[in-house]
Amino acid sequence: MSSGDLERPVGVRRLVYKELLEGDYRKLAAKSNDSDSGGGARDLRFPFKEFDGIFARLLPLSREEHRRRKGGRVDVPLRTGPVYLDEVTETGGETTTEAEMVWETPTDARPSEGRIAKVHASPATRQLLEAREAMKDEEGRPPRVFVLFVQNDQGELRVHYAYEHELRAGEWAPAVARRVLEHLDNPNRRRDRAVAGYIDFQDNVHYAHDVR
């Protein structure tokens, strides 16, 4: 984890980023519950201990729901909050819709992982499928795509995606692109894991997971 005076993009308070793997796309498409390449239930996973604090800031509400734990039904806490999606209407105007996003605590089977639940059912995350298909090369190979959970200065959360080539071409704010690419290119990061981290511009913290 690094800290210091981070250059802050206009209007951005903090964000979480994650490289999307093949298993993540299958979850988004609701096609499988596999365990390879990020698979499993239809959610996006993050290391719970390292990311629970930042998701608490992105999703400031809470409630309890029944879940099965250790062979019984118990009430478990969930972090929740609205996520906003800006869309263009058929007439060329703009509209903003709101949905709930949920951060769940670890299960017995995955005791170290928190997760953003039911990503296949949310229009805010389903857009990530279109991002991948839109930029395949002539041989059908998909680009490297990062999902970004971005909170603005008003506390509103939106889901965006960034292509690696756009980050390198300067099409994103330098304060975001530089940190993500430093993480991606770091020779000390684990190459068998997805790139995942967060940047908190308000607290001047950048966390790059799996950098040794």
Side-chain angles (χ1 to χ4, degrees):
M1 182 180 294
S2 62
S3 60
D5 293 328
L6 301 181
E7 179 186 355
R8 182 173 179 175
V10 175
V12 177
R13 184 179 296 174
R14 56 182 60 91
L15 63 87
V16 172
Y17 60 88
K18 183 183 187 295
E19 177 188 4
L20 293 174
L21 302 180
E22 284 297 322
D24 296 319
Y25 288 112
R26 286 192 287 273
K27 295 178 211 176
L28 289 163
K31 289 184 177 179
S32 67
N33 289 346
D34 57 86
S35 58
D36 297 330
S37 301
R42 288 161 186 170
D43 47 47
L44 289 179
R45 297 177 182 168
F46 295 83
F48 182 75
K49 179 181 177 181
E50 292 83 358
F51 284 83
D52 185 51
I54 192 68
F55 275 111
R57 295 192 168 202
L58 297 180
L59 302 170
L61 307 178
S62 64
R63 68 169 184 268
E64 291 188 341
E65 287 190 3
H66 294 304
R67 295 288 187 271
R68 183 170 293 278
R69 297 287 188 273
K70 301 186 185 301
R73 301 285 290 182
V74 299
D75 290 332
V76 300
L78 307 178
R79 300 195 187 281
T80 72
V83 59
Y84 298 91
L85 178 64
D86 302 318
E87 298 178 289
V88 178
T89 66
E90 294 180 355
T91 59
E94 293 185 357
T95 183
T96 298
T97 57
E98 178 182 333
E100 182 184 56
M101 182 165 283
V102 176
W103 168 253
E104 296 231 15
T105 57
T107 63
D108 293 343
R110 300 279 183 172
S112 64
E113 295 179 346
R115 61 202 191 281
I116 296 294
K118 299 180 180 178
V119 293
H120 68 290
S122 171
T125 46
R126 282 203 310 268
Q127 64 172 313
L128 303 173
L129 281 172
E130 301 172 10
R132 182 177 189 250
E133 294 302 314
M135 293 296 291
K136 284 185 176 180
D137 64 19
E138 294 179 356
E139 298 180 5
R141 292 173 300 194
R144 176 177 266 147
V145 182
F146 295 88
V147 56
L148 293 92
F149 300 88
V150 181
Q151 185 182 61
N152 65 19
D153 282 337
Q154 289 72 48
E156 297 173 341
L157 178 64
R158 285 173 169 80
V159 178
H160 299 276
Y161 56 84
Y163 299 111
E164 177 188 359
H165 66 267
E166 290 181 344
L167 294 170
R168 296 192 185 280
E171 296 181 31
W172 278 77
V176 174
R178 181 167 60 87
R179 294 285 176 165
V180 175
L181 292 173
E182 284 177 353
H183 188 175
L184 174 64
D185 297 337
N186 193 311
N188 295 318
R189 78 171 178 87
R190 290 187 56 167
R191 291 303 198 261
D192 60 337
R193 301 281 184 87
V195 173
Y198 61 82
I199 310 170
D200 192 322
F201 295 102
Q202 181 169 284
D203 290 347
N204 291 314
V205 173
H206 175 215
Y207 173 71
H209 189 62
D210 273 333
V211 173
R212 296 187 282 256

